[in-house]
Amino acid sequence: MADLYGIMKARALPLARTIVMNPDEDAFAVIMADSDDSRQAHFLMMLEGSIPAEGHRRILLDGLAREYAGVDGWMAYVDRECKDD
């Protein structure tokens, strides 16, 4: 079975690299590090251009939330970030 998260992450990497220009940094880690930073909002707004299918975007966002935030999925990440406000 294909690793859809890995495929979607590779597809979104060029977009992430336009937002985080330092090649020595993990672009996704920087984007996920601060939900209040404009980099995350910019990434989310532009993501549809890189990954047109909503289901595939959901796979990517759920995977990013698991990998970088240690939560069960994107909605759990959003819930956690909203409670911090």
Side-chain angles (χ1 to χ4, degrees):
M1 186 161 104
D3 173 19
L4 290 178
Y5 170 60
I7 293 167
M8 294 304 106
K9 192 174 174 186
R11 189 176 289 174
L13 184 59
L15 170 61
R17 281 273 156 239
T18 65
I19 296 167
V20 180
M21 305 283 274
N22 184 346
D24 296 330
E25 291 184 290
D26 179 341
F28 294 112
V30 173
I31 290 167
M32 293 295 293
D34 185 0
S35 63
D36 291 328
D37 190 272
S38 63
R39 289 180 284 215
Q40 190 174 96
H42 185 74
F43 177 76
L44 293 172
M45 288 187 322
M46 301 298 292
L47 187 57
E48 188 173 359
S50 297
I51 303 176
E54 181 180 352
H56 290 165
R57 289 192 305 272
R58 182 173 305 222
I59 289 168
L60 173 68
L61 294 175
D62 283 344
L64 291 175
R66 284 186 201 100
E67 182 175 352
Y68 294 99
V71 295
D72 289 335
W74 185 253
M75 290 312 299
Y77 172 75
V78 170
D79 287 344
R80 185 188 76 185
E81 293 298 304
C82 288
K83 287 179 185 173
D84 289 345
D85 290 340

